[in-house]
Structure formats: structure tokens, C-alpha cells
Amino acid sequence: MKIGIISDIHSNIIALKACTAYMESIFCNEYLFLGDYVSDTPYTRETLDYLYDFKSKHNCLFLRGNREDYMLKQRHIITQGIENKRMAKRIQYGLSHLCTYTFTGQIGLGTTVGDTRL
């Protein structure tokens, strides 16, 4: 079984698409995303939309990174800083429902995350 592992996307949708295309081409069976999906850069919505679409077609596990943790904890600050309040709420909703687990620490070989043993 091949497991594709991606981390620190930070809304870089172009690199994300290139990485997932490569992993599909080498026939990864499962995908582990290690957090930091979005940032305060362009393409946040597109990144979340792509991840949700990818998740619907593949066996994926998403961990919450420190960036997601920060953004979800700072809801009131985020909404004040973004002119489009609806967009801010959508980003927060997307992050809170995408991430399956919160992880702080290191993943070593033999670690079990969800149903996947690394």
C-alpha cells in the first residue's frame, strides 16, 4: 500500500494540485494531510474546495495543523480583519469540518493515525 503524505500547503493550490497529481500517477491508496492547509494568502477558498473534492474521491485523513488551530481559536479576530464576513465564516467552517484529528508532536514509524499505521 502506498500512502501519500502532504503538509504545509498554505493555500498554494498550484503546488497542491501538482503534488496530488503526482501521487495519483504513482497509485497512492491513501493520503495523509498533516495540516497548515490555508494561510492569509490568496486561494484559500479554492484550496479548501479542492481538498473537499479530493477527499470525496480518495481515502484521506486530515490532521489539524497549528495554522488551523490558530485560525479556529481566533474566530473573532479573523472576522474583524476580513471585510467579507461571509467568506471568513466559510473558511472557519471548512477548516473545522475538514480536520479529523488535532495533532501536536511528532509522527514516528509505527504510529497509528485513525485506521492507518505509519
Side-chain angles (χ1 to χ4, degrees):
M1 175 186 342
K2 288 186 180 180
I3 301 173
I5 301 175
I6 299 176
S7 70
D8 296 286
I9 298 165
H10 292 285
S11 302
N12 188 343
I13 189 72
I14 296 167
L16 173 61
K17 286 180 178 181
C19 288
T20 55
Y22 171 75
M23 289 182 190
E24 287 174 322
S25 76
I26 61 169
F27 305 106
C28 288
N29 308 93
E30 295 185 13
Y31 298 86
L32 178 60
F33 292 84
L34 301 179
D36 292 355
Y37 309 107
V38 298
S39 194
D40 43 358
T41 57
Y43 308 115
T44 297
R45 186 183 74 192
E46 292 85 349
T47 301
L48 285 176
D49 288 346
Y50 182 79
L51 288 171
Y52 271 101
D53 184 56
F54 192 82
K55 180 181 179 182
S56 71
K57 298 173 184 170
H58 300 85
N59 188 13
C60 299
L61 180 68
F62 292 85
L63 300 180
R64 183 185 297 175
N66 63 329
R67 187 69 182 150
E68 288 75 40
D69 199 40
Y70 169 79
M71 291 179 82
L72 291 169
K73 286 181 180 177
Q74 302 296 321
R75 291 175 192 226
H76 64 283
I77 294 172
I78 291 171
T79 23
Q80 289 172 0
I82 296 177
E83 290 180 22
N84 185 343
K85 308 279 190 231
R86 202 163 143 198
M87 176 61 75
K89 288 180 181 179
R90 183 173 181 206
I91 292 168
Q92 292 163 355
Y93 177 84
L95 289 175
S96 64
H97 288 84
L98 179 68
C99 302
T100 312
Y101 300 96
T102 300
F103 179 79
T104 55
Q106 296 180 344
I107 296 179
L109 291 177
T111 301
T112 301
V113 179
D115 295 327
T116 303
R117 186 171 172 84
L118 304 175

